[in-house]
C-alpha cells in the first residue's frame, strides 16, 4: 500500500514538472523556409535541396508534403533524404518530383506549415536545324528578322543577334533594335552596310545555357526607297506590375527617315523614377508605385508623319501585413478576438490554420476559451500574386491565484491631500474574485475609495489617518491567495514662489523663478515645460540654463531669447510621491513674422497690384512693408518701386510700378517694426506682365562689305528685357542718297543682328543710309540714328605680279609678290598643293592687304609643290597669278651629334663631337649650331661652326648646358647636349694634358 502511494506521488510530481517545462517552452518558429527552385534538366549535380529550419522548445521535428500529399522518406531512401529539416532529392525526375512542396514543423505545442515552394525543371532546347530563307529588301525600307525561340522554361530569356561570325554581335542604335519580348531584330531603315548573315543568340539565365539559330541572309536591294511614314512594330501590351518592381516598356518603329520616339503618360506627368534609354526605344519605371498606374503612349515621328501606340500599366501588390498575430496567453473561459489584417491588390482573403490543418476563414473570435483551444495558429493572407503567413502560439491558462510573478509592494507612499494607488495583480485563470481589507475592516467602493477592475485599490484626498496595512484577497475555483502592502503618508509638495509673466526683446535674457517646499525625507527635482513639451536644458544649453546652487530652487534662465522661445512655461516640482505645477507666459518681442497669402492682381504692362495677409507682429506694431521682386535676369531679390513709395503697416495691398513689360516676375514681402525687418514671405506664383511696344532702338547700327551686289547691315540685338512682347523682331530701313523712299525689311529673329540685301542693280561701293527699329505683337519702337554705310565692292580684277618663291628648308618656304594699290583689295589668298595632289584640295593662307609675303610651314621634305596668289575682298577672290613650282629641300640628317668629350682648359671648356654624315635622302651637312645657356633657361648664346669642336667660357657660377645640332639646307637636326659645372670637376693634370694634346690634333681636322 505504501509502495503504491509512493508511486502515485512520483507520477504526480513528474506530471507537474513536465507541465511546467511545457509552459516554459514554445512552439515552432520558422528561421528558413523553402523557396521556388528551378532545376536545370541538364544539370550535372544530380541533387536538389529544399531548405527548412525552425526553432522551438522542445526542438521541432519535420515532415514534407508534395502537392498536399505526405512524402514517405523511409519508403524511398535512395531518392529522398532529410538533413535536419532540409529535404534532399537525389537524381531529380520531372515526372516524379515537379510540384508544390511544403514543410511542416511540429513539437508538443503544435505544428506550423511553411510557405508553398515550387520545384520546376528548366530547359532551353536547340533551334531547329532547318535553313532559314534569305530576306531581300530594298534599301531605305524597314525589315524584321524573326527569332522564333525554341521551347524553354522559365520565360527569362535574353536576346542578341550575331552578324556573320560569333562573337560579332550587332551594335544597337536608333536604327536597329532587338526586342527582349520576342527576340526579333527590327531595322527601321535598311542600308547597304546591313548586308550579311544574321543569327539569333538566345540565353537562359536560369539554366545558364545559350543557343544559336540558323543564319538568315539579309540582302539589301539597290532600288532605294524615297522614304515612308513611321510604322510602330514593337508594341508594349497592357502590363500588370507588382508594387516596387521595375517595369520595362518597348516601342520601336520602322520608317525612313528613322523615326524619333517620344513617351508620355496620358493626362499626367511621367513618373519621377522613369528612365528612357536605347535612343528612346525603352522606357523603364523603377520601383513602380500605385500613382504610376495609367495609360502610357509612345509616339514615333519623322518628317513624313507620325504613328502612336498606347497601352495601360496596372499596379497591383503582393499581400502585406497591416496587423499580424503574436504569441498570446489568455485565461480559460475568457473572450478573445485575434486581429489579423493584410492589404494587397487585389485585396487578400484571410484564412486560418491550427497545427497545420485548415481551421476557418475570416475573423477569428473565441467567446469562451477552452483548454483545447491551445495550439499553433497561422493566419494566411493570399491573393493571385501569392500568400504570406503569420505564425503565433495561443496558450489557454488555467491557474490558481498566485502572487509569485507580481508580488505586492511592501510599502506604498502617498502625499497628504493626494492620491494613493495600491496595486493587486495576481496571476490567476479564470479571473479571480478580489476583496480588500484594512485590518479587520472590509473595504468597499465609496466617495474616497474605489476598487479598480484590475484589482488595484485607489484612495483619494489621502489623510494621515489612512496610513496602515492593506490586504488584497483573491479567489477562483482553483484556489485562494492574498497579499499585503503598507501605506505611508508624506507631506505634500507645494510651489511657494511661482513664475511670473516676463516680457523681453529678442536677444535678451529672461528669468522664470520657481521655488518649492516638500517632504524633506524625499528628493525633489524640477522639470520645465514649454507649451506642454519638456525642455531638454542640456541639449539646448545655448538658450537655457538651470540654477542648481540653491536648494529647492528650480529657476530657469532663458538666454538670448528668440521668437520661438515665447509661450507658456510650466514649472513642475516633482518627488517620487507627488508633484506641483505653476505656469507663466514669456513674451518675446521681435521683428514681424512673414506675411502670408500673397496674390497678384490687376496685371498690366508696367504695374501689378499685390495683396497679402498680415503676419504676426511679434508684440510690436508693424510700421511698414517692403516689396521685393525677382526675374530670370538675376538670382537676387531687389526692392521694387511702389505707389506710394512707403507702404504703411496697416494696409494689406500695394501697387508695384516701373516693371518691365512682358517679363516674368515673382514677388515677396517683408514687414518692418521698431525692432527690425522680419523674414520674407513665401514667394508668389510667377506672373508675366502685359506687353507693350518696344521703347528702345537697337544700337551700333552699321555694316558694309559683303559679296558682289550686296548691302550688309548690322546692329546689336536688344537684350530680352527690352523685347516687351511676343513675336519680337526688327524692321530694317535703307535707301541710297539718290532715292526718296525708304525700303523696309522685316527680320523676325530676335537674336539676329545682321541683314544682307541682294540687288543685281546695286552699284558697288555706293553710299546708303540705314536705320533699324524693334517691333513686337504690340507695335513698333523708335528708329535708331541713321548710319551711312557702303554697299559691297566687286571682287578684285587685278592679278598680283612678280610672285617669287624662296625655299627656306625642308618644311618652310617664303612666297612674296608685288602689292596691288587699290582700296578694293582687303587681303590676299595664297594657295599651295603638292604637284601630285589635286588643285581643289589646295591649302589656303589668307593675309591682310598690308602684307606682301607669307611663310608656308609644315611642308613635306623633298616634295614638288605648286603655289599661286590672288587678291580678295568681302565680295570674293580675284584671278590667281600664274602658278609657280618649287621643290622643298631634303630633310635634315636624323643622326644627332655624339659628344665625345667635355674638358676644361683654363677659363674655357672644349666640347668635342663626332662628325655627322648625311644619308642619300637627307640634306648635306653645312656645319653645326651650338647653343650655350644656363641650365633651366631657354635663351643663351648661339655659335655657328664648320668644325666639330668648340670652346665656350667656363661657368663662373651655376651649371650650364651646351646643345649641339647639325645645320643643313633642309634645316636643323636633332639636339645633343652636355652639362658643364660651374666649379672644376677635379681632373688630374696628367689626364688633362692628354686630353689637351688630343684636342690639339683634332683642331687641324676640317670637312
Amino acid at each position: 500500500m505504501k509502495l503504491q502511494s509512493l508511486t502515485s506521488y512520483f507520477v504526480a510530481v513528474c506530471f507537474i514538472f513536465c507541465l511546467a517545462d511545457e509552459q516554459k517552452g514554445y512552439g515552432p518558429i520558422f528561421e528558413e523556409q523553402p523557396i521556388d527552385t528551378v532545376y536545370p534538366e541538364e544539370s550535372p549535380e544530380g541533387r536538389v535541396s529544399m531548405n527548412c529550419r525552425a526553432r522551438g522548445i522542445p526542438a521541432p521535428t519535420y515532415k514534407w508534403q508534395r502537392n498536399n500529399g505526405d512524402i514517405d522518406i523511409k519508403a524511398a531512401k535512395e531518392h529522398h533524404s532529410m538533413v535536419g529539416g532540409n529535404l534532399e532529392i537525389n537524381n531529380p525526375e520531372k515526372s516524379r518530383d515537379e510540384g508544390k512542396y511544403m514543410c511542416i514543423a511540429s513539437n508538443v505545442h503544435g505544428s506550423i506549415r511553411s510557405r508553398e515552394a515550387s520545384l520546376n525543371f528548366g530547359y532551353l532546347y536547340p533551334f531547329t536545324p532547318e535553313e532559314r530563307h534569305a530576306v531581300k529588301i530594298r534599301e531605305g525600307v524597314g525589315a524584321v528578322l524573326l527569332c522564333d525561340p525554341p521551347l524553354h522554361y522559365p520565360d527569362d530569356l535574353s536576346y542578341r543577334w550575331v552578324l556573320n561570325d560569333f562573337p560579332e554581335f550587332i551594335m544597337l542604335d536608333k536604327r536597329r533594335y532587338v526586342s527582349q519580348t520576342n527576340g526579333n531584330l527590327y531595322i527601321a531603315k535598311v542600308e547597304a552596310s546591313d548586308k550579311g548573315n544574321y543569327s539569333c543568340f538566345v540565353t537562359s539565365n536560369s539554366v545558364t545555357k545559350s543557343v544559336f539559330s540558323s543564319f538568315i541572309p539579309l540582302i539589301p536591294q539597290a532600288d532605294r526607297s524615297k522614304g515612308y511614314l513611321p510604322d510602330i512594330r514593337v508594341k508594349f501590351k497592357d502590363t500588370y506590375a507588382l508594387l516596387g518592381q521595375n517595369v520595362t516598356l518597348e516601342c520601336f518603329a520602322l520608317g525612313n527617315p528613322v523615326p524619333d520616339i517620344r513617351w508620355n503618360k496620358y493626362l499626367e506627368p511621367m513618373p519621377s523614377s522613369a528612365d528612357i534609354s536605347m535612343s528612346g526605344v525603352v522606357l523603364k519605371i523603377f520601383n513602380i508605385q500605385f500613382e504610376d498606374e495609367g495609360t502610357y503612349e509612345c509616339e514615333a515621328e519623322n518628317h513624313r508623319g507620325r504613328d502612336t501606340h498606347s497601352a495601360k500599366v496596372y499596379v497591383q501588390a503582393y499581400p502585406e501585413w497591416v496587423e499580424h498575430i503574436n504569441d498570446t496567453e489568455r485565461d480559460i473561459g475568457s473572450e478573445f478576438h485575434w486581429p489579423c489584417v493584410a492589404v494587397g491588390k487585389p485585396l487578400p482573403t484571410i484564412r486560418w490554420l491550427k497545427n497545420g490543418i485548415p481551421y476557418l476563414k475570416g475573423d477569428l473570435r473565441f467567446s469562451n476559451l477552452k483548454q483545447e483551444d491551445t495550439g499553433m495558429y497561422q493566419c494566411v493572407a493570399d491573393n493571385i500574386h501569392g500568400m504570406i503567413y503569420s505564425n503565433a502560439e495561443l496558450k489557454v491558462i488555467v491557474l490558481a491565484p498566485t502572487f509569485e510573478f507580481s508580488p505586492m509592494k511592501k510599502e506604498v507612499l502617498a502625499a497628504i491631500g493626494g492620491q494613493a494607488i495600491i496595486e493587486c495583480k495576481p496571476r490567476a485563470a479564470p479571473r479571480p474574485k478580489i476583496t480588500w481589507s484594512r485590518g479587520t475592516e472590509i473595504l468597499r467602493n465609496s466617495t474616497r475609495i474605489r476598487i479598480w477592475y484590475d484589482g488595484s485599490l485607489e484612495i483619494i484626498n489621502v489623510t494621515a489617518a489612512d496610513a496602515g496595512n492593506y490586504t488584497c484577497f483573491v479567489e477562483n475555483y482553483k484556489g485562494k491567495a492574498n497579499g499585503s502592502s503598507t501605506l505611508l503618508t508624506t507631506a505634500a509638495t507645494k510651489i511657494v514662489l511661482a513664475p511670473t509673466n516676463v516680457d523681453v526683446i529678442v536677444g535678451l535674457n529672461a528669468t522664470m523663478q520657481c521655488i518649492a517646499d516638500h517632504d524633506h525625507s524625499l528628493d525633489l527635482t524640477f522639470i520645465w515645460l514649454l507649451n506642454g513639451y519638456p525642455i531638454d536644458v542640456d541639449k539646448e544649453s545655448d538658450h537655457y540654463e538651470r540654477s542648481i546652487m540653491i536648494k529647492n530652487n528650480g529657476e530657469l534662465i532663458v538666454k538670448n531669447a528668440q521668437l520661438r522661445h515665447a509661450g507658456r512655461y510650466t514649472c513642475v516640482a516633482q518627488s517620487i510621491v507627488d508633484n506641483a505645477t505653476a505656469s507663466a507666459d514669456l513674451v518675446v518681442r521681435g521683428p514681424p513674422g512673414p506675411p502670408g497669402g500673397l496674390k497678384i492682381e490687376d496685371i498690366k504692362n508696367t504695374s501689378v497690384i499685390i495683396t497679402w495677409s498680415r503676419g504676426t507682429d511679434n508684440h510690436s506694431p508693424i510700421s511698414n512693408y517692403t516689396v521685393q521682386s525677382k526675374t530670370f535676369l538675376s538670382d537676387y531679390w531687389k526692392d521694387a518701386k511702389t505707389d506710394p513709395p512707403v507702404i504703411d503697416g496697416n494696409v494689406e495691398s500695394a501697387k508695384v510700378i516701373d516693371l518691365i513689360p512682358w517679363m516674368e516676375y515673382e514677388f515677396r514681402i517683408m514687414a518692418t517694426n521698431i525692432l527690425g525687418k522680419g523674414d520674407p514671405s513665401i514667394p508668389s506664383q510667377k506672373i508675366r506682365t502685359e506687353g507693350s511696344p518696344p521703347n528702345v532702338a537697337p544700337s551700333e547700327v552699321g555694316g558694309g562689305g559683303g559679296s558682289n551686289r550686296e548691302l550688309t547691315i548690322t546692329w546689336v540685338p536688344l537684350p530680352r528685357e527690352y523685347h516687351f512682347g511676343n513675336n519680337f523682331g526688327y524692321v530694317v530701313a535703307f535707301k541710297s542718297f539718290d532715292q526718296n523712299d525708304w525700303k523696309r525689311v522685316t527680320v523676325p529673329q530676335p537674336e539676329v543682328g545682321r541683314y544682307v540685301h541682294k540687288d543685281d542693280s546695286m552699284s558697288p561701293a555706293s553710299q546708303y543710309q540705314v536705320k533699324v527699329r524693334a517691333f513686337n505683337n504690340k507695335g513698333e519702337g523708335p528708329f535708331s540714328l541713321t548710319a551711312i554705310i557702303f554697299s559691297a565692292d566687286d571682287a578684285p580684277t587685278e592679278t598680283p605680279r612678280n610672285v617669287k618663291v624662296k625655299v627656306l628648308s625642308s618644311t618652310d618656304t617664303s612666297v612674296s609678290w608685288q602689292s596691288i594699290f587699290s582700296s578694293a583689295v582687303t587681303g590676299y589668298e595664297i594657295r599651295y598643293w603638292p604637284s601630285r595632289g589635286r588643285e581643289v584640295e589646295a591649302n589656303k593662307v589668307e593675309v591682310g592687304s598690308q602684307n606682301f609675303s607669307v611663310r608656308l610651314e609644315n611642308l613635306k621634305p623633298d616634295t614638288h609643290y605648286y603655289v599661286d596668289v590672288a587678291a580678295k575682298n568681302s565680295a570674293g577672290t580675284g584671278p590667281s597669278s600664274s602658278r609657280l613650282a618649287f621643290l622643298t629641300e631634303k630633310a635634315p640628317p636624323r643622326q644627332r651629334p655624339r659628344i665625345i668629350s667635355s674638358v676644361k682648359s683654363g677659363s674655357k671648356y672644349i666640347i668635342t663631337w663626332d662628325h655627322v654624315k648625311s644619308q642619300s635622302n637627307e640634306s648635306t651637312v653645312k656645319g653645326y649650331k651650338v647653343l650655350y645657356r644656363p641650365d633651366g633657361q631657354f635663351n643663351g648664346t648661339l655659335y655657328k661652326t664648320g668644325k666639330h669642336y668648340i670652346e665656350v667660357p667656363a661657368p663662373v657660377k651655376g651649371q650650364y648646358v651646351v646643345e649641339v645640332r647639325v645645320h643643313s639646307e633642309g634645316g636643323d637636326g636633332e639636339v645633343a647636349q652636355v652639362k658643364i659645372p660651374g666649379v672644376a670637376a677635379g681632373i688630374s693634370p696628367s689626364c688633362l694634358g692628354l686630353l689637351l694634346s688630343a684636342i690639339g690634333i683634332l683642331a687641324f681636322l676640317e670637312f
Side-chain angles (χ1 to χ4, degrees):
M1 188 70 180
K2 288 182 178 180
L3 182 61
Q4 186 177 0
S5 301
L6 189 60
T7 302
S8 300
Y9 171 77
F10 277 115
V11 168
V13 170
C14 289
F15 175 77
I16 292 169
F17 275 106
C18 289
L19 184 64
D21 283 344
E22 184 177 320
Q23 292 293 325
K24 291 179 181 177
Y26 57 88
I29 299 172
F30 279 120
E31 293 185 331
E32 185 179 13
Q33 299 187 54
I35 60 174
D36 293 341
T37 302
V38 175
Y39 176 77
E41 289 185 350
E42 300 175 14
S43 173
E45 292 185 12
R47 183 173 63 85
V48 174
S49 178
M50 306 294 283
N51 295 344
C52 181
R53 186 174 77 253
R55 58 184 169 85
I57 299 178
T61 59
Y62 303 90
K63 73 174 183 178
W64 283 83
Q65 290 184 342
R66 172 177 170 265
N67 297 335
N68 295 321
D70 292 344
I71 297 176
D72 190 344
I73 305 295
K74 295 180 180 179
K77 289 183 179 180
E78 294 182 357
H79 192 62
H80 295 116
S81 60
M82 292 274 287
V83 179
N86 298 344
L87 174 65
E88 303 283 342
I89 305 174
N90 300 310
N91 300 317
E93 300 173 11
K94 183 175 182 178
S95 59
R96 181 177 181 181
D97 299 311
E98 193 168 61
K100 297 281 189 181
Y101 285 78
M102 183 184 298
C103 170
I104 300 175
S106 306
N107 67 9
V108 296
H109 297 279
S111 302
I112 55 175
R113 288 188 184 189
S114 73
R115 68 169 74 95
E116 280 188 343
S118 62
L119 173 60
N120 294 103
F121 286 72
Y123 55 90
L124 174 59
Y125 295 156
F127 279 94
T128 57
E130 286 83 6
E131 187 175 327
R132 299 204 178 190
H133 297 295
V135 177
K136 297 181 180 180
I137 195 160
R138 288 186 301 148
E139 292 179 18
V141 174
V144 180
L145 302 187
L146 303 181
C147 179
D148 192 16
L151 295 175
H152 58 274
Y153 183 86
D155 193 16
D156 64 344
L157 302 183
S158 61
Y159 301 92
R160 289 185 289 176
W161 281 75
V162 174
L163 176 58
N164 295 327
D165 294 300
F166 181 82
E168 294 296 327
F169 295 104
I170 67 167
M171 299 298 292
L172 303 184
D173 51 30
K174 185 177 179 181
R175 192 174 61 86
R176 298 180 295 188
Y177 180 68
V178 176
S179 171
Q180 295 303 307
T181 302
N182 55 29
N184 295 343
L185 170 62
Y186 297 85
I187 305 176
K189 182 187 70 171
V190 172
E191 296 178 352
S193 60
D194 294 324
K195 182 179 180 180
N197 296 313
Y198 292 77
S199 173
C200 183
F201 183 78
V202 180
T203 300
S204 171
N205 297 320
S206 296
V207 301
T208 60
K209 181 181 177 182
S210 300
V211 292
F212 295 85
S213 73
S214 301
F215 279 100
I216 305 173
L218 177 62
I219 307 171
Q221 305 294 300
D223 182 15
R224 189 170 184 83
S225 168
K226 294 182 179 179
Y228 63 99
L229 293 168
D231 179 13
I232 295 178
R233 290 295 188 91
V234 181
K235 299 181 178 181
F236 58 98
K237 301 177 181 179
D238 285 352
T239 302
Y240 288 83
L242 285 177
L243 184 71
Q245 281 186 339
N246 299 333
V247 175
T248 300
L249 306 180
E250 298 178 316
C251 180
F252 186 80
L254 311 184
N256 184 4
V258 177
D260 292 318
I261 305 294
R262 289 185 293 273
W263 291 86
N264 64 77
K265 186 181 181 188
Y266 183 65
L267 296 180
E268 293 182 75
M270 290 285 280
S272 59
S273 64
D275 178 68
I276 298 173
S277 60
M278 299 294 291
S279 301
V281 177
V282 176
L283 169 65
K284 286 188 176 181
I285 306 173
F286 296 95
N287 187 27
I288 196 166
Q289 302 297 305
F290 287 122
E291 58 266 25
D292 299 332
E293 185 174 274
T295 299
Y296 288 80
E297 181 182 70
C298 82
E299 178 185 51
E301 185 176 18
N302 62 17
H303 73 260
R304 291 185 169 271
R306 59 192 290 269
D307 189 15
T308 60
H309 168 72
S310 63
K312 291 186 176 180
V313 174
Y314 299 93
V315 181
Q316 301 198 331
Y318 194 81
E320 182 180 359
W321 293 119
V322 174
E323 186 175 4
H324 59 80
I325 58 176
N326 296 298
D327 291 345
T328 303
E329 292 183 356
R330 285 292 185 271
D331 294 347
I332 191 169
S334 63
E335 292 184 358
F336 178 47
H337 172 225
W338 216 347
C340 183
V341 182
V343 293
K345 190 176 180 181
L347 191 66
T349 58
I350 300 293
R351 56 189 176 90
W352 294 81
L353 306 176
K354 180 184 178 186
N355 294 325
I357 300 171
Y359 189 62
L360 59 79
K361 293 182 179 180
D363 228 15
L364 180 59
R365 293 179 181 272
F366 298 91
S367 59
N368 182 16
L369 281 171
K370 300 181 176 58
Q371 191 80 43
E372 54 268 28
D373 293 326
T374 295
M376 295 299 301
Y377 288 79
Q378 291 178 278
C379 177
V380 184
D382 62 345
N383 64 12
I384 58 175
H385 301 296
M387 62 180 68
I388 52 176
Y389 292 77
S390 178
N391 309 331
E393 183 179 2
L394 174 61
K395 290 184 178 179
V396 179
I397 305 300
V398 181
L399 185 68
T402 175
F403 286 96
E404 178 184 356
F405 304 105
S406 54
M408 295 178 64
K409 292 181 180 180
K410 291 182 179 181
E411 293 180 347
V412 176
L413 298 177
I416 293 174
Q419 174 195 46
I421 295 176
I422 307 174
E423 291 185 345
C424 177
K425 297 180 179 180
R427 190 170 180 185
R431 175 181 171 76
K433 178 183 177 183
I434 297 177
T435 56
W436 281 87
S437 71
R438 181 186 178 197
T440 58
E441 177 188 2
I442 302 299
L443 301 178
R444 292 181 175 80
N445 287 335
S446 65
T447 54
R448 290 183 59 242
I449 295 175
R450 186 162 67 93
I451 301 172
W452 291 0
Y453 179 78
D454 68 357
S456 298
L457 176 68
E458 178 186 20
I459 304 173
I460 59 176
N461 295 327
V462 172
T463 65
D466 291 324
N469 190 59
Y470 291 79
T471 302
C472 175
F473 296 91
V474 291
E475 178 181 1
N476 67 12
Y477 74 85
K478 297 290 288 183
K480 301 178 180 180
N482 64 75
S484 298
S485 293
T486 300
L487 178 64
L488 303 175
T489 58
T490 63
T493 301
K494 297 179 181 178
I495 291 179
V496 295
L497 182 59
T500 57
N501 295 339
V502 180
D503 191 320
V504 296
I505 295 173
V506 165
L508 299 182
N509 295 347
T511 300
M512 309 296 287
Q513 60 189 11
C514 185
I515 297 177
D517 191 12
H518 70 293
D519 192 300
H520 295 291
S521 65
L522 304 175
D523 290 331
L524 184 69
T525 59
F526 288 89
I527 298 171
W528 282 90
L529 309 178
L530 172 56
N531 298 327
Y533 294 94
I535 298 172
D536 190 329
V537 176
D538 292 331
K539 282 187 177 180
E540 298 188 59
S541 58
D542 289 345
H543 292 285
Y544 291 107
E545 184 180 310
R546 278 283 314 280
S547 176
I548 57 174
M549 302 301 295
I550 304 174
K551 190 176 181 180
N552 299 343
N553 188 349
E555 180 181 87
L556 177 70
I557 300 172
V558 184
K559 303 182 295 182
N560 185 22
Q562 301 299 307
L563 294 173
R564 68 177 184 275
H565 297 133
R568 189 160 189 80
Y569 283 78
T570 301
C571 174
V572 181
Q574 181 173 293
S575 71
I576 60 172
V577 176
D578 66 339
N579 65 70
T581 63
S583 300
D585 291 323
L586 172 63
V587 174
V588 180
R589 300 182 187 273
L598 268 69
K599 291 182 181 179
I600 311 300
E601 301 170 344
D602 195 19
I603 301 170
K604 295 183 178 179
N605 58 348
T606 60
S607 67
V608 297
I609 300 295
I610 184 169
T611 63
W612 63 90
S613 56
R614 294 171 61 88
T616 57
D617 62 9
N618 291 324
H619 311 290
S620 181
I622 296 173
S623 57
N624 65 279
Y625 289 96
T626 302
V627 178
Q628 292 186 324
S629 66
K630 188 170 74 168
T631 69
F632 78 93
L633 300 173
S634 172
D635 292 331
Y636 303 100
W637 291 90
K638 298 179 180 178
D639 289 353
K641 289 186 179 180
T642 58
D643 184 16
V646 178
I647 305 171
D648 189 83
N650 294 319
V651 303
E652 294 184 6
S653 68
K655 184 177 183 179
V656 184
I657 60 174
D658 290 353
L659 300 177
I660 299 173
W662 202 62
M663 179 62 68
E664 199 171 66
Y665 281 93
E666 52 185 332
F667 298 92
R668 69 180 188 183
I669 302 178
M670 292 180 289
T672 302
N673 62 17
I674 195 173
L675 298 175
K677 185 175 288 187
D679 292 331
S681 66
I682 296 173
S684 68
Q685 288 186 339
K686 290 183 178 180
I687 61 98
R688 188 188 297 275
T689 51
E690 292 291 327
S692 67
N695 63 5
V696 176
S699 62
E700 297 183 30
V701 175
S707 300
N708 264 344
R709 306 297 186 262
E710 286 183 354
L711 179 68
T712 302
I713 303 167
T714 61
W715 63 93
V716 175
L718 289 176
R720 163 65 182 83
E721 58 266 34
Y722 296 111
H723 288 188
F724 289 6
N726 206 355
N727 300 327
F728 182 84
Y730 302 95
V731 174
V732 180
F734 56 93
K735 73 182 184 70
S736 64
F737 278 90
D738 57 358
Q739 292 175 326
N740 294 323
D741 297 328
W742 292 83
K743 291 184 179 179
R744 293 167 53 102
V745 177
T746 299
V747 179
Q749 294 85 10
E751 70 282 355
V752 170
R754 185 172 184 268
Y755 170 72
V756 178
H757 176 70
K758 294 186 178 183
D759 185 350
D760 291 338
S761 63
M762 185 183 299
S763 301
S766 298
Q767 277 193 333
Y768 278 80
Q769 301 177 72
V770 296
K771 55 185 179 180
V772 183
R773 76 187 333 167
F775 74 91
N776 61 22
N777 61 333
K778 296 293 184 180
E780 295 183 345
F783 269 117
S784 66
L785 296 175
T786 301
I788 308 298
I789 65 173
F790 289 85
S791 62
D793 279 322
D794 284 336
T797 58
E798 192 174 349
T799 303
R801 296 187 300 274
N802 199 20
V803 178
K804 296 179 181 180
V805 176
K806 182 180 180 181
V807 176
L808 303 177
S809 69
S810 61
T811 59
D812 293 2
T813 295
S814 173
V815 181
S816 62
W817 58 91
Q818 185 176 333
S819 175
I820 298 174
F821 296 101
S822 171
S823 60
V825 175
T826 60
Y828 298 93
E829 179 181 271
I830 301 88
R831 301 188 307 152
Y832 62 97
W833 65 97
S835 61
R836 293 185 179 181
R838 297 194 300 171
E839 184 177 350
V840 294
E841 296 175 352
N843 295 295
K844 296 178 182 179
V845 177
E846 294 183 357
V847 297
S849 61
Q850 303 303 315
N851 297 84
F852 314 127
S853 66
V854 70
R855 186 184 183 107
L856 306 182
E857 300 175 331
N858 299 319
L859 303 176
K860 294 180 180 179
D862 197 20
T863 302
H864 288 276
Y865 280 89
Y866 293 124
V867 64
D868 62 24
V869 183
K872 67 183 293 291
N873 60 19
S874 60
T877 303
S880 297
S881 66
S882 298
R883 68 184 184 185
L884 296 179
F886 66 90
L887 173 64
T888 55
E889 298 286 350
K890 293 181 179 180
R894 288 191 295 273
Q895 180 185 349
R896 69 181 67 194
R898 187 172 72 89
I899 297 176
I900 57 176
S901 68
S902 171
V903 179
K904 185 180 180 185
S905 175
S907 62
K908 295 183 179 295
Y909 263 93
I910 303 173
I911 314 298
T912 310
W913 58 88
D914 280 341
H915 175 55
V916 175
K917 293 183 180 180
S918 58
Q919 304 296 320
S920 61
N921 62 342
E922 297 175 340
S923 297
T924 303
V925 175
K926 295 181 63 178
Y928 299 92
K929 289 183 178 179
V930 181
L931 178 64
Y932 178 68
R933 62 177 177 82
D935 192 10
Q937 297 183 21
F938 296 104
N939 298 322
T941 305
L942 181 66
Y943 301 95
K944 291 184 181 180
T945 179
K947 303 173 182 180
H948 42 91
Y949 70 89
I950 196 167
E951 292 183 356
V952 295
V956 177
K957 184 179 181 182
Q959 186 170 249
Y960 271 65
V961 176
V962 178
E963 295 181 351
V964 183
R965 71 180 74 206
V966 168
H967 174 61
S968 71
E969 295 288 352
D972 296 337
E974 296 290 326
V975 172
Q977 71 174 25
V978 64
K979 294 183 179 181
I980 56 177
V983 180
I987 302 174
S988 66
S990 59
C991 292
L992 181 60
L994 289 172
L995 286 171
L996 289 174
S997 299
I999 293 166
I1001 296 169
L1002 291 170
F1004 291 96
L1005 298 177
E1006 296 188 11
F1007 300 105

